[in-house]
């Protein structure tokens, strides 16, 4: 049962969306939590005793590529088993309602947005599905097929790495510039399931507000970005966002 305040915020979120003509969204690990993909900072930021920064950085890979591949092979195997949840579906439906005026910027590397039907997705941090050769740089879509413990390039036999943006690395510039453009030109900026602590991605939230967008945050709990948000929806996004869609449809007189 929703409290009166959370119901009011659901209604407000639906209203700002119903009055908007352009929407941009930033998602983080929390949007996939209800699918069974663990978030990064929920359980003390550790993976089997290793700091996430150590298994997700070029230095960590240089020190122990086998350990880093163990981490990514485990993540790939987990993602192969899971399905999009109602929050992913909501975002795919929202895109259908804003044709050509909807951009989904994600920090996630799990591909669940695309699986749910989202099309205009900007993956800021790369994808678990792809590898990149550390020698010849070839990028290859490996889907979620199991990889060797230390996979090597079919072209040059160099060691492969996940095609993921690690701590200390720069974002793919074209994708980042597209994300900035979508952020400064949208009327509503929806932030779902991110702790908003990793930059530059988190900086998009304040950028959206400065550029005049209404910022709507959906998260299990308030975050460091909550002060910037005009509307806060606090609870599991897979439960809250479908209620926003229901109200949006009522406002638009849709069946
Ligand atoms: N619904 C909504 N939000 C949720 C849910 C849920 N069911 N479950 C968890 N959350 C929220 C948490 O409250 C938290 O704010 O999701 C957020 C997850 O935060 P992080 O684990 O820090 O993930 P994210 O913000 O995506 O991390 C950013 O850091 O490790 C790097 O590159 C990695 O892309 C990642 C980046």
């Amino acid at each position: 049962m929703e409290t009166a305040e959370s119901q009011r915020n659901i209604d407000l979120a639906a209203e700002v969306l119903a009055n908007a003509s352009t929407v941009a969204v930033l998602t983080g690990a929390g949007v996939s939590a209800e699918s069974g993909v663990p978030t990064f900072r929920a359980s003390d930021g550790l993976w089997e005793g290793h700091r996430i920064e150590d298994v997700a950085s070029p230095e960590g890979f240089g020190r122990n590529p086998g350990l880093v591949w163990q981490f990514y092979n485990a993540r790939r195997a987990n993602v192969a088993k899971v399905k999009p949840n109602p929050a992913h579906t909501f975002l795919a439906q929202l895109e259908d309602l804003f044709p050509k005026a909807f951009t989904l910027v994600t920090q996630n590397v799990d591909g669940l947005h695309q699986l749910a039907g989202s099309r205009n997705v900007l993956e800021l941090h790369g994808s678990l599905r792809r590898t990149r050769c550390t020698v010849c740089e070839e990028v290859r879509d490996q889907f979620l097929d199991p990889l060797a413990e230390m996979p090597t390039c079919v072209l040059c036999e160099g060691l492969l790495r996940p095609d993921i943006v690690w701590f200390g690395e720069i974002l793919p510039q074209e994708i980042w510039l597209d994300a900035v453009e979508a952020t400064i030109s949208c009327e509503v900026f929806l932030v779902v399931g991110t702790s908003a602590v990793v930059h530059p991605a988190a900086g998009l939230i304040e950028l959206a507000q400065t550029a005049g967008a209404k910022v709507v945050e959906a998260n299990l709990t308030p975050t460091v970005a909550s002060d910037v948000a005009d509307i806060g929806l606090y609870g599991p996004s897979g439960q809250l966002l479908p209620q926003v869609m229901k109200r949006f449809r009522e406002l638009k007189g849709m069946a």
Side-chain angles (χ1 to χ4, degrees):
M1 173 103 95
E2 302 302 330
T3 64
E5 195 195 344
S6 75
Q7 186 57 55
R8 197 168 58 88
N9 287 339
I10 287 167
D11 292 350
L12 280 174
E15 265 168 46
V16 295
L17 285 168
N19 290 325
S21 50
T22 40
V23 175
V25 182
L26 174 68
T27 64
V31 76
S32 297
E34 288 156 79
S35 293
V37 182
T39 61
F40 295 96
R41 291 173 183 81
S43 56
D44 61 20
L46 293 182
W47 174 74
E48 300 200 345
H50 304 282
R51 291 186 331 136
I52 291 297
E53 287 78 0
D54 289 338
V55 284
S57 67
E59 296 77 18
F61 189 67
R63 270 195 301 271
N64 193 344
L67 177 73
V68 173
W69 266 116
Q70 246 180 11
F71 173 63
Y72 281 99
N73 278 335
R75 288 182 69 192
R76 285 165 53 84
N78 182 48
V79 164
K81 287 188 305 213
V82 305
K83 291 192 179 66
N85 69 58
H88 297 106
T89 307
F90 163 85
L91 293 170
Q93 290 170 342
L94 202 58
E95 182 168 6
D96 289 340
L97 294 164
F98 289 88
K100 299 200 166 85
F102 182 94
T103 308
L104 174 45
V105 182
T106 187
Q107 298 166 88
N108 296 348
V109 293
D110 58 28
L112 289 180
H113 287 305
Q114 292 90 333
L115 218 54
S118 290
R119 294 176 305 276
N120 191 18
V121 182
L122 299 176
E123 293 182 315
L124 290 181
H125 292 170
S127 170
L128 271 181
R129 286 158 210 257
R130 294 191 304 267
T131 54
R132 188 163 83 238
C133 179
T134 57
V135 178
C136 75
E137 303 266 306
E138 197 228 12
V139 173
R140 183 168 289 247
D141 194 343
Q142 307 274 10
F143 307 94
L144 291 171
D145 301 339
L147 295 174
E149 282 175 22
M150 292 267 261
T152 50
C153 179
V154 288
L155 302 180
C156 76
E157 295 183 9
L159 178 63
L160 297 181
R161 57 164 282 175
D163 191 29
I164 300 250
V165 180
W166 282 331
F167 288 98
E169 296 186 316
I170 55 163
L171 268 45
Q173 285 306 285
E174 227 170 275
I175 294 176
W176 172 247
L177 291 177
D178 286 350
V180 168
E181 177 58 34
T183 302
I184 59 179
S185 55
C186 70
E187 289 168 20
V188 175
F189 192 76
L190 176 59
V191 187
V192 186
T194 178
S195 57
V197 294
V198 173
H199 285 264
L204 293 175
I205 305 169
E206 215 169 306
L207 182 64
Q209 190 219 28
T210 310
K214 287 267 182 233
V215 176
V216 180
E217 178 179 58
N219 198 300
L220 210 47
T221 58
T223 68
V224 291
S226 301
D227 284 350
V228 172
D230 297 284
I231 302 166
L233 308 173
Y234 298 111
S237 53
Q239 289 178 29
L240 292 172
L241 294 178
Q243 298 179 58
V244 174
M245 180 56 73
K246 185 167 171 276
R247 183 68 189 133
F248 178 98
R249 289 180 171 279
E250 284 168 10
L251 290 169
K252 290 282 192 184
M254 299 162 82

